[in-house]
Amino acid sequence: MTKRLDMLDDIFEKRMQFMHLIKEKYPDSYKDWPLNITEKSSQVLLRDTALKGVEEMFEALGHLKNWKPHRDTDIPEINREEFLEEIVDAFNYFFSLMILTGIDANEFYSAFNKKDKIIRNRIENNY
């Protein structure tokens, strides 16, 4: 379990370093973080960042051609590498979102486990 958390720490650290590089080159790209999420300008930035992540997920979904139930032709081919790259792009925006709000790997991991317990409980109790 420790190794996974170390990888999660590494992802957070790499994303934060990248965000600092972007901010150095393009000073208006990010405000100083953690943001005060009660401020309107912070909420605008967070919404924009989240929507960029959603856009990247839609780009990943664009690689899936075999999902339409009404389609008779079968298109099983998928470029797995490109599909994964788009998912990584989406996760980068979602990690940026957490970093901007001051969430670190430990807080995220704790929240993930809390929610995992809730959803498992729902399944076990016929939610």
Side-chain angles (χ1 to χ4, degrees):
M1 191 68 80
T2 303
K3 186 174 184 176
R4 286 189 180 149
L5 188 54
D6 291 346
M7 287 189 285
L8 185 59
D9 285 330
D10 186 50
I11 291 169
F12 267 89
E13 184 60 33
K14 285 178 178 167
R15 191 61 194 170
M16 193 177 323
Q17 289 172 0
F18 180 77
M19 290 168 66
H20 282 295
L21 287 173
I22 291 290
K23 188 168 172 47
E24 286 174 21
K25 188 163 185 171
Y26 307 101
D28 294 333
S29 58
Y30 291 117
K31 295 169 53 175
D32 290 333
W33 61 82
L35 301 175
N36 177 348
I37 61 174
T38 64
E39 294 177 356
K40 186 173 188 166
S41 61
S42 295
Q43 292 183 18
V44 169
L45 176 58
L46 293 172
R47 181 176 165 81
D48 183 52
T49 303
L51 289 173
K52 288 175 182 174
V54 170
E55 184 178 333
E56 293 293 344
M57 285 304 296
F58 276 113
E59 288 181 20
L61 293 175
H63 289 280
L64 304 178
K65 307 292 185 193
N66 209 27
W67 61 270
K68 296 179 181 176
H70 60 276
R71 185 179 204 147
D72 290 331
T73 54
D74 194 32
I75 308 175
E77 299 84 18
I78 181 172
N79 186 323
R80 183 180 166 91
E81 188 175 324
E82 288 179 7
F83 177 72
L84 179 58
E85 182 179 338
E86 298 300 345
I87 292 172
V88 169
D89 287 344
F91 269 81
N92 275 329
Y93 282 111
F94 297 139
F95 277 104
S96 293
L97 190 64
M98 289 187 282
I99 290 166
L100 287 169
T101 57
I103 297 168
D104 64 12
N106 290 323
E107 185 178 2
F108 174 71
Y109 189 70
S110 176
F112 179 90
N113 284 321
K114 181 179 177 182
K115 184 63 177 190
D116 183 68
K117 184 176 180 180
I118 291 168
I119 61 176
R120 287 174 186 275
N121 189 41
R122 288 176 181 166
I123 298 299
E124 292 166 359
N125 293 299
N126 300 317
Y127 174 70

